[in-house]
Amino acid sequence: MLNLNVFDETSRLKVVVLGTAKENGPIPKPEDAYDPKSLEHILAGTYPKEVDMVNEMEAFAAVFEKYNVEVHRPEIIPDCNQIFSRDIAFVIEDKLVKANILPDREEEFEAILHVLEYIDPNKILYPPEEVHIEGGDVMPWKDYIFIGTYTGHDYPDYITARTNWEGVEYIRKMFPHKKVKSFELRKSITHPRENALHLDCCFQPVGKDKAIIHKNGFLIEEEYQWLIDHFGRENVFEISGDEMYDMFSNVFSISPEVVVSERNFTRLNNWLRSQGLTVEEIPYAEVSKQGGLLRCSTMPLVRE
């Protein structure tokens, strides 16, 4: 059996699901894009090639192998984008929560059933239909669970709004001993620099007490300020709108001492090293054209 264990974003990683770019399918039509960054590249003719994304994800897998992380991959579904495994499920403590995702992505969950067979069925939670929640919006962090959401009356109009208030309340109900702190995120269908698709697109803890953050990703300044106060201004790396667009906050921690980052994130990577962290740099710029990066591609199952 696989004993799930995830209490934060940075404890030493033991077991993870890493998505796959193999048999990714044709370039989507503009009307089928899930987010404004993908749409931008579809229209510009710069949508990433499968071979490039496969190579990038294999570089990520090689880093996991270096640190003796047990890696599971989805079964390959022809013509299906299976890169972003964080979207389909996530682990809090010893429970795996199935995300209620966009309906036409349901088969992505079925592609990891061979992994779920090793998990106690009583530890897998299936939220009711009205609960919308995706793993990119959910961050366990010590006593807290941070959740990105959008609760505007126009929520149904935004394909980029992935976690609703019912999602926040569901997590609060399932984990009553945790402090659940929600954050209203800025959403846009047409402007990728004005869209925080998930919480991890504008914020993420790193190390033991540090964080990466983009102020404009948050709709309510007081909620952004709460994070600054919680981590301490001296422990926070602020990123610009262009850096958020490039996905600077979507790195991935293998341990409190080791972070996997995109090799072109020079300013961030230098700061991480100045904080005493080891930075494993890999190419991931092609994957990022789909509006996700390193954290999005992973579903941690066991951390120490």
Side-chain angles (χ1 to χ4, degrees):
M1 293 297 285
L2 198 54
N3 295 316
L4 301 172
N5 191 74
V6 177
F7 281 79
D8 60 39
E9 291 293 313
T10 66
S11 289
R12 179 73 167 87
L13 183 69
K14 308 296 284 186
V15 185
V16 70
V17 175
L18 174 66
T20 180
K22 293 178 180 176
E23 299 194 36
N24 199 51
I27 297 172
K29 298 174 183 175
E31 60 268 25
D32 294 332
Y34 294 137
D35 68 279
K37 192 170 181 181
S38 294
L39 177 61
E40 180 180 80
H41 286 287
I42 292 168
L43 295 175
T46 52
Y47 195 77
K49 295 180 175 66
E50 179 182 308
V51 63
D52 295 331
M53 294 189 293
V54 168
N55 288 338
E56 289 181 344
M57 298 198 78
E58 291 312 307
F60 201 179
V63 176
F64 287 135
E65 183 177 356
K66 175 180 177 180
Y67 288 92
N68 298 313
V69 177
E70 180 182 323
V71 178
H72 297 272
R73 309 297 290 266
E75 291 182 352
I76 294 170
I77 303 169
D79 296 332
C80 179
N81 188 331
Q82 297 174 265
I83 294 172
F84 299 126
S85 57
R86 183 79 62 155
D87 290 355
I88 58 177
F90 54 91
V91 173
I92 300 176
E93 297 183 347
D94 63 346
K95 305 283 195 310
L96 183 138
V97 183
K98 179 186 180 294
N100 275 351
I101 51 179
L102 300 169
D104 50 357
R105 296 185 63 184
E106 198 66 34
E107 61 184 346
E108 289 180 59
F109 185 77
E110 296 172 7
I112 62 165
L113 292 180
H114 64 288
V115 181
L116 304 188
E117 288 175 358
Y118 295 99
I119 299 171
D120 179 351
N122 296 316
K123 300 291 187 180
I124 302 177
L125 305 180
Y126 297 88
E129 189 176 345
E130 68 273 10
V131 169
H132 297 175
I133 194 161
E134 289 188 355
D137 278 324
V138 181
M139 291 187 185
W141 187 247
K142 302 173 183 177
D143 295 335
Y144 286 89
I145 301 172
F146 300 142
I147 303 182
T149 186
Y150 182 73
T151 62
H153 64 86
D154 53 352
Y155 173 91
D157 299 335
Y158 283 99
I159 195 172
T160 54
R162 302 295 175 80
T163 298
N164 61 7
W165 185 247
E166 287 82 357
V168 176
E169 289 301 305
Y170 178 80
I171 297 299
R172 192 169 273 134
K173 179 181 176 183
M174 292 296 105
F175 301 92
H177 52 291
K178 290 288 190 180
K179 302 172 187 173
V180 175
K181 179 75 176 170
S182 64
F183 303 89
E184 294 279 341
L185 303 181
R186 190 174 305 280
K187 302 293 180 180
S188 173
I189 302 170
T190 53
H191 300 292
R193 286 171 175 79
E194 294 289 322
N195 177 58
L197 187 65
H198 292 122
L199 181 59
D200 62 15
C201 295
C202 60
F203 163 75
Q204 189 180 173
V206 289
K208 293 178 179 173
D209 58 358
K210 320 257 179 241
I212 305 163
I213 197 165
H214 176 59
K215 182 177 182 179
N216 196 50
F218 296 83
L219 270 180
I220 301 172
E221 185 166 348
E222 289 79 6
E223 294 179 354
Y224 152 83
Q225 189 61 47
W226 186 94
L227 285 168
I228 297 294
D229 295 341
H230 183 75
F231 285 87
R233 174 70 67 179
E234 70 281 5
N235 292 317
V236 173
F237 184 83
E238 295 256 6
I239 61 176
S240 68
D242 284 342
E243 289 171 336
M244 183 193 84
Y245 171 83
D246 288 335
M247 309 294 295
F248 270 47
S249 65
N250 208 270
V251 295
F252 183 75
S253 293
I254 288 181
S255 75
E257 296 79 35
V258 179
V259 178
V260 188
S261 181
E262 216 287 330
R263 64 185 179 187
N264 294 307
F265 293 176
T266 305
R267 195 173 80 88
L268 171 65
N269 296 342
N270 288 341
W271 178 80
L272 290 168
R273 291 190 178 101
S274 76
Q275 303 303 307
L277 298 174
T278 297
V279 181
E280 295 285 351
E281 295 187 2
I282 63 171
Y284 228 67
E286 292 304 302
V287 168
S288 81
K289 291 177 179 179
Q290 297 191 48
L293 205 75
L294 298 159
R295 188 179 187 271
C296 296
S297 306
T298 58
M299 184 200 307
L301 299 178
V302 181
R303 290 185 183 270
E304 284 184 351

